[in-house]
């Protein structure tokens, strides 16, 4: 089996990476940064997000697993003390896989050009500096004209991240859907938005169309890019999914409890 180990870059994570590579050297495992079959991320959820974007072109061929060298993460759920045990489980192939939905973001520009991105957590859209005003369409029909700081579209697993901070609901990753949440919408006697998160199933799409400004700051997880001359931004539940290696039972709601409730 071909594998790769990525690190957050701090001393603790880098040392653990070298230790794990040393463990794998004792077995018939090939270290391959170009075409790995399993990606081991050491650091936190941010490190795993970076690994996802690095290997998203191999989603049908790669499985991810995360080790946290800081706080427990939703994607990085193994402890450094369990590294040797994890290596043995990988070598012996004693694991199942869990598939998580992804978000597809299609940005169309003037001149019929477009770019497509995938996100594991969420995509956000904000103004490049002026007022943020967009028409929101659901399945091609006008839903509302949004005025505010921005909008966030989240995957189910990403609902525990920025979406939660915006007051969105938490969704189990087995649900193939996406969630739209508002950032400081303007609501008064003149302007109205729904003022509530929207959960949309996989056969629905959401399109954002600029009203005035056509330059937007769009993020996909930790990556933020300024896009100019935007004609529309469309969100769909992606056909692709990300695969995570599961070596033991660690229910999603227990992760939620351990991350946000248990002291």
């Amino acid at each position: 089996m071909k594998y790769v180990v990525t690190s957050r870059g701090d001393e603790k994570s880098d040392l653990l990476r070298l230790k794990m590579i040393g463990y794998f050297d004792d077995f018939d495992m090939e270290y391959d940064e170009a075409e790995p079959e399993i990606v081991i991320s050491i650091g936190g959820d941010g490190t795993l997000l970076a690994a996802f974007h690095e290997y998203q072109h191999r989603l049908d061929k790669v499985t991810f697993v995360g080790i946290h060298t800081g706080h427990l993460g939703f994607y990085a759920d193994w402890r450094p003390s369990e590294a040797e045990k994890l290596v043995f489980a990988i070598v012996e192939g004693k694991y199942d896989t869990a598939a998580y939905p992804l978000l597809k973001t299609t940005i169309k520009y003037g001149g019929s050009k477009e770019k497509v991105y995938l996100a594991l957590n969420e995509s956000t859209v904000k103004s490049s500096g002026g007022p943020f005003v967009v028409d929101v369409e659901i399945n091609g029909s006008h839903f509302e004209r949004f005025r505010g700081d921005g909008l966030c579209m989240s995957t189910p697993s990403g609902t525990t991240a920025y979406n939660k901070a915006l007051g969105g609901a938490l969704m189990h990753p087995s649900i193939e859907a996406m969630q739209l949440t508002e950032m400081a919408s303007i609501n008064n006697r003149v302007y109205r938005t729904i003022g509530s998160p929207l959960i949309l199933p996989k056969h629905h799409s959401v399109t954002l169309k600029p009203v005035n400004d056509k330059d937007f700051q769009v993020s996909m997880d930790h990556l933020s890019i300024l896009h100019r001359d935007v004609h529309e931004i469309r969100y769909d539940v992606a056909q692709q999914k990300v695969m995570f290696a599961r070596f033991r039972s660690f229910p999603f709601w227990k992760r939620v409890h351990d991350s946000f409730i248990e002291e």
Side-chain angles (χ1 to χ4, degrees):
M1 178 183 288
K2 298 178 181 180
Y3 78 99
V4 69
V5 186
T6 66
S7 168
R8 180 165 53 193
D10 61 286
E11 183 178 5
K12 183 176 182 180
S13 300
D14 285 345
L15 288 174
L16 183 58
R17 174 181 176 273
L18 293 175
K19 182 183 293 187
M20 291 197 72
I21 292 174
Y23 291 151
F24 280 121
D25 284 344
D26 295 332
F27 302 97
D28 188 22
M29 298 282 289
E30 178 183 351
Y31 191 89
D32 189 334
E33 292 185 354
E35 298 181 339
E37 296 167 80
I38 189 162
V39 175
I40 303 159
S41 165
I42 301 177
D45 282 350
T47 313
L48 198 142
L49 285 171
F52 162 78
H53 283 276
E54 183 175 355
Y55 292 104
Q56 62 178 292
H57 63 289
R58 290 181 52 81
L59 288 179
D60 59 334
K61 302 179 180 68
V62 69
T63 302
F64 295 86
V65 61
I67 300 176
H68 65 89
T69 49
H71 298 289
L72 170 70
F74 280 88
Y75 302 122
D77 54 14
W78 282 76
R79 299 178 179 86
S81 60
E82 301 174 303
E84 189 172 7
K85 176 182 176 182
L86 177 59
V87 168
F88 287 133
I90 292 173
V91 170
E92 295 174 2
K94 293 183 177 179
Y95 59 90
D96 297 317
T97 57
Y100 283 11
L102 298 171
L103 178 68
K104 176 184 176 183
T105 304
T106 305
I107 304 177
K108 296 184 178 181
Y109 311 89
S112 301
K113 296 181 180 179
E114 69 176 39
K115 290 184 179 179
V116 178
Y117 301 89
L118 291 178
L120 176 54
N121 265 2
E122 75 277 308
S123 171
T124 65
V125 184
K126 300 178 182 179
S127 166
S128 62
F132 180 81
V133 186
V134 295
D135 282 329
V136 180
E137 295 182 355
I138 299 178
N139 295 338
S141 297
H142 185 267
F143 180 74
E144 67 178 12
R145 176 162 290 185
F146 178 88
R147 293 172 173 85
D149 285 357
L151 291 165
C152 172
M153 186 68 86
S154 172
T155 67
S157 58
T159 57
T160 59
Y162 194 23
N163 167 80
K164 182 178 183 297
L166 294 171
L170 302 189
M171 296 168 58
H172 194 279
S174 64
I175 301 172
E176 295 186 75
M178 55 187 177
Q179 182 171 177
L180 184 67
T181 49
E182 301 179 351
M183 302 178 198
S185 61
I186 298 174
N187 279 283
N188 51 37
R189 289 191 300 173
V190 179
Y191 303 128
R192 284 284 185 273
T193 69
I194 193 66
S196 173
L198 301 178
I199 297 175
L200 302 113
K202 64 178 180 180
H203 60 283
H204 284 198
S205 65
V206 171
T207 303
L208 310 180
K209 293 188 174 181
V211 174
N212 297 312
D213 188 15
K214 293 189 176 182
D215 296 344
F216 297 93
Q217 196 73 28
V218 184
S219 76
M220 268 61 65
D221 297 327
H222 61 298
L223 306 173
S224 183
I225 304 172
L226 176 62
H227 295 264
R228 298 190 182 277
D229 192 25
V230 174
H231 179 66
E232 67 176 42
I233 300 171
R234 172 171 167 150
Y235 288 120
D236 298 272
V237 177
Q239 292 185 346
Q240 306 98 312
K241 290 187 177 183
V242 61
M243 304 298 294
F244 288 98
R246 287 288 176 259
F247 300 88
R248 60 190 176 190
S249 176
F250 194 1
F252 174 76
W253 296 118
K254 178 165 175 51
R255 296 186 194 200
V256 171
H257 172 270
D258 291 354
S259 296
F260 297 117
I261 298 176
E262 187 176 73
E263 297 182 359

